C-alpha cells in the first residue's frame, strides 16, 4: 500500500538559514510526488510536483525538491528561509493511474528571528 | 480567475444531524475530489468525481456520499454526524481525473460537531 512518512513533526529554523524537510514514500512503481503548504486556517497550496524526468524539481517561493529513487525520498529544500514561510508542509504521493493523493502527517515549520 | 470555492466556510452541527458541503471547481476543471483533514493530520481522500461519475472512494463509511452536477460543481453529504466527523473538509479540482494532473485545493469548510 502507498504511504508517506514525514519524520519531523516540528522544525524551527532561523530566518535566513537553510531548510530541509524530509519525506519518505512507499510505493511499488514510480510515483507522482507533491509538496503542499498550508498556512493556518487556509487550504493547501501546491509548491512543486515530480512526475518524471529531472530529479531536481523547482517550485514556487524559492523551494526545490529532489527525488531519490534509491532512498524512496523526496525532500524539500530552501536555501534561505523567510518568516513568511512559517506554515504546515505536506508531502503527498499519487499513483500514476490512480485518483487519490496520499498525504503525510505534515511538518510544522517555525521561523525564529 | 476564481479558484476552488467552498461553502459554507464554517458550520456547527449537532450529533446525529446531516450536513451538506458545496464546492465549485476552477473554470474548465471537470474533476472534483473531497478530502477530510482532522486537526493535526494530513488530508485523507474521501471521493473523486470526474464527468459526474464516481472515480474513486476512500475508506469512509456509507454515511459519506457525494455527487457532481452537470456544471461540475459538487456536494459532499454526511449523515448521522459523529463527534469524530469534526474536521476541515477540503475540495480539490483538476482538469481531468488521475493524480498526474495538478490538483488545486479550496480553503475548506470547517465542520464542528457538538
Amino acid at each position: 500500500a502507498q504511504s508517506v512518512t514525514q519524520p519531523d513533526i516540528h522544525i524551527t529554523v532561523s530566518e535566513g538559514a537553510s531548510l530541509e524537510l524530509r519525506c519518505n514514500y512507499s510505493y511499488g512503481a514510480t510515483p507522482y510526488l507533491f509538496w503542499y503548504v498550508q498556512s493556518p486556517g487556509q487550504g493547501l497550496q501546491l509548491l512543486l510536483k515530480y512526475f518524471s524526468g529531472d530529479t531536481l524539481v523547482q517550485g514556487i517561493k524559492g523551494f526545490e525538491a529532489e527525488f531519490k529513487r534509491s532512498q524512496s525520498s523526496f525532500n524539500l529544500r530552501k536555501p534561505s528561509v523567510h518568516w513568511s514561510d512559517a506554515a504546515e508542509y505536506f508531502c503527498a504521493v499519487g499513483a500514476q493511474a490512480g485518483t487519490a493523493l496520499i498525504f503525510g502527517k505534515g511538518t510544522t515549520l517555525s521561523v525564529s528571528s | 480567475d476564481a479558484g476552488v470555492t467552498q461553502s459554507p466556510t464554517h458550520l456547527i452541527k449537532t450529533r446525529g444531524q446531516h450536513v451538506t458541503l458545496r464546492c465549485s471547481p476552477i473554470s474548465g476543471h471537470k474533476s472534483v475530489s473531497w478530502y477530510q483533514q482532522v486537526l493535526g493530520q494530513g488530508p485523507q481522500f474521501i471521493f473523486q468525481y470526474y464527468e459526474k461519475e464516481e472515480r474513486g472512494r476512500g475508506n469512509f463509511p456509507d454515511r459519506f456520499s457525494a455527487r457532481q452536477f452537470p456544471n461540475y460543481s459538487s456536494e459532499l453529504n454526511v449523515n448521522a454526524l459523529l463527534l469524530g466527523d469534526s474536521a476541515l473538509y477540503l475540495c480539490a479540482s483538476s482538469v481531468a481525473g488521475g493524480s498526474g494532473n495538478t490538483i488545486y485545493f479550496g480553503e475548506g469548510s470547517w465542520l464542528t460537531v457538538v
Side-chain angles (χ1 to χ4, degrees):
Chain A
Q2 301 171 48
S3 66
V4 175
T5 301
Q6 294 180 247
D8 304 305
I9 297 174
H10 190 186
I11 285 182
T12 299
V13 176
S14 299
E15 190 168 17
S18 63
L19 168 71
E20 182 169 30
L21 301 181
R22 296 184 291 165
C23 173
N24 293 98
Y25 68 89
S26 172
Y27 185 67
T30 300
Y32 291 169
L33 294 161
F34 307 82
W35 275 99
Y36 284 87
V37 61
Q38 185 176 38
S39 297
Q42 302 294 312
L44 299 170
Q45 182 182 24
L46 179 67
L47 287 175
L48 47 78
K49 60 188 178 185
Y50 172 78
F51 288 171
S52 65
D54 192 348
T55 57
L56 186 60
V57 180
Q58 300 298 320
I60 63 171
K61 303 184 178 184
F63 286 93
E64 66 176 28
E66 186 172 12
F67 170 59
K68 293 185 177 180
R69 184 190 304 274
S70 61
Q71 299 177 18
S72 297
S73 69
F74 188 58
N75 294 348
L76 182 71
R77 300 193 294 249
K78 186 170 185 178
S80 178
V81 169
H82 186 261
W83 64 266
S84 61
D85 293 324
E88 188 85 13
Y89 290 79
F90 292 97
C91 180
V93 63
Q96 291 194 1
T99 58
L101 291 182
I102 307 299
F103 284 84
K105 293 186 176 181
T107 297
T108 301
L109 173 65
S110 297
V111 180
S112 61
S113 56
Chain B
D1 287 341
V4 178
T5 57
Q6 294 186 241
S7 64
T9 54
H10 294 81
L11 69 166
I12 300 173
K13 291 286 188 178
T14 303
R15 278 179 298 175
Q17 283 188 318
H18 162 271
V19 67
T20 297
L21 307 178
R22 296 177 175 83
C23 172
S24 294
I26 293 171
S27 178
H29 285 195
K30 297 182 178 181
S31 176
V32 169
S33 300
W34 288 95
Y35 288 78
Q36 180 196 64
Q37 186 178 17
V38 174
L39 200 61
Q41 301 291 319
Q44 277 199 291
F45 172 72
I46 311 175
F47 287 110
Q48 187 196 32
Y49 278 79
Y50 177 63
E51 289 282 17
K52 301 179 286 295
E53 291 188 2
E54 183 182 302
R55 291 300 183 94
R57 173 186 286 255
N59 188 23
F60 279 82
D62 292 343
R63 299 185 295 108
F64 289 76
S65 63
R67 55 180 175 168
Q68 187 177 32
F69 298 100
N71 66 353
Y72 303 109
S73 67
S74 177
E75 283 182 355
L76 175 69
N77 294 284
V78 186
N79 292 323
L81 285 166
L82 303 174
L83 295 179
D85 295 330
S86 296
L88 176 66
Y89 288 86
L90 294 163
C91 176
S93 77
S94 59
V95 171
S99 59
N101 294 281
T102 300
I103 297 173
Y104 298 90
F105 284 84
E107 296 200 347
S109 293
W110 285 96
L111 170 65
T112 300
V113 182
V114 297

